[in-house]
């Protein structure tokens, strides 16, 4: 079953954020757009490159009203040390969420039972806590956060402009489509 247009299931997790331990919950996602980025584990190889990419694009995520949450199957304590020892991860100004019980990875259907790790999943959640887009990768394939940013902008646009859709490769400011009977077979 698809998770699209379903609310995020209730959860509570601990995170390391800007030098402090905080609690993140499903309620934390309300009132703003959220980009939840699942990674297998801290101290791995591709994960720091993705955290750094998210950090390099964080200002633009924030400018679009979104918070970024990085989630691994480690604890928030591991995330503190990861943040302090990895130059790439040290750039993160967003919450690094621990999921040692695997409640989040299972709720978002990215859990690898045999390994106790997460697949690389990216979820865009609207301010009401409803999943509007997601993509899941094999762990050998790292993501481009600019594509997550593009999808966030598209999700925001269609939420603000009912009756319009964003075509392939849509970028902010480009033309959209207003579906109608007149367009059938003409695109």
């Amino acid at each position: 079953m698809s998770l699209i247009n379903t609310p995020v299931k209730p959860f509570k997790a601990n995170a390391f954020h800007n030098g402090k331990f905080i609690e993140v919950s499903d309620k934390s996602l309300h009132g703003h757009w959220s980009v939840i980025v699942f990674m297998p584990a801290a101290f791995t190889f591709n994960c720091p490159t993705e955290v750094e990419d998210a950090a390099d694009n964080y200002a633009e995520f924030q400018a679009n009203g979104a918070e970024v949450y990085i989630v691994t199957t480690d604890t928030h304590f591991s995330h503190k040390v990861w943040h302090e020892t990895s130059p790439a991860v040290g750039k993160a100004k967003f919450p690094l969420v621990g999921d040692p019980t695997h409640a989040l990875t299972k709720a978002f259907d990215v859990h690898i039972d045999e390994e106790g790790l997460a697949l690389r999943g990216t979820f865009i959640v609207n301010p009401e806590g409803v999943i509007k887009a997601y993509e899941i990768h094999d762990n050998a394939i790292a993501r481009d956060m600019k594509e997550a940013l593009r999808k966030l902008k598209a999700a925001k646009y269609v939420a603000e402009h009912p009756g319009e859709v964003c075509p392939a490769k849509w970028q902010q400011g480009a033309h959209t489509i207003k579906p109608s009977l007149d367009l059938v077979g003409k695109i």
Side-chain angles (χ1 to χ4, degrees):
M1 180 178 138
S2 175
L3 296 174
I4 295 297
N5 293 322
T6 64
V8 171
K9 293 178 183 173
F11 74 89
K12 284 186 182 176
N14 292 312
F16 179 72
H17 184 222
N18 292 332
K20 297 179 183 174
F21 293 132
I22 64 166
E23 183 179 271
V24 175
S25 72
D26 53 300
K27 306 240 184 300
S28 304
L29 307 180
H30 289 238
H32 59 85
W33 287 84
S34 300
V35 179
I36 305 169
V37 182
F38 285 89
M39 298 179 181
F43 301 102
T44 56
F45 310 101
N46 264 348
C47 296
T49 68
E50 291 185 317
V51 174
E52 185 173 36
D53 190 23
D56 290 346
N57 289 284
Y58 187 52
E60 195 167 354
F61 280 107
Q62 287 189 307
N64 281 279
E67 182 58 87
V68 173
Y69 299 89
I70 300 291
V71 182
T72 77
T73 54
D74 304 285
T75 67
H76 55 299
F77 300 112
S78 294
H79 288 161
K80 177 185 184 296
V81 176
W82 194 30
H83 191 271
E84 293 171 348
T85 58
S86 168
V89 177
K91 292 180 176 183
K93 303 292 184 210
F94 38 77
L96 302 172
V97 182
D99 185 31
T101 66
H102 307 155
L104 282 168
T105 59
K106 289 177 182 176
F108 283 84
D109 201 24
V110 295
H111 189 71
I112 307 169
D113 289 330
E114 304 79 34
E115 298 176 24
L117 301 174
L119 290 167
R120 293 187 191 285
T122 308
F123 294 79
I124 297 172
V125 179
N126 75 9
E128 291 76 40
V130 175
I131 299 168
K132 300 310 284 183
Y134 69 93
E135 183 175 24
I136 300 173
H137 291 225
D138 178 274
N139 281 333
I141 305 167
R143 293 158 283 193
D144 182 340
M145 288 298 125
K146 286 197 182 294
E147 177 59 12
L149 189 56
R150 185 192 74 78
K151 289 178 184 178
L152 167 68
K153 291 175 182 179
K156 283 185 64 182
Y157 184 90
V158 297
E160 294 165 1
H161 299 89
E164 293 184 44
V165 298
C166 294
K169 298 184 182 182
W170 179 86
Q171 294 291 328
Q172 193 170 28
H175 292 288
T176 58
I177 298 171
K178 289 188 180 187
S180 72
L181 187 58
D182 296 341
L183 291 178
V184 174
K186 294 182 180 166
I187 295 177

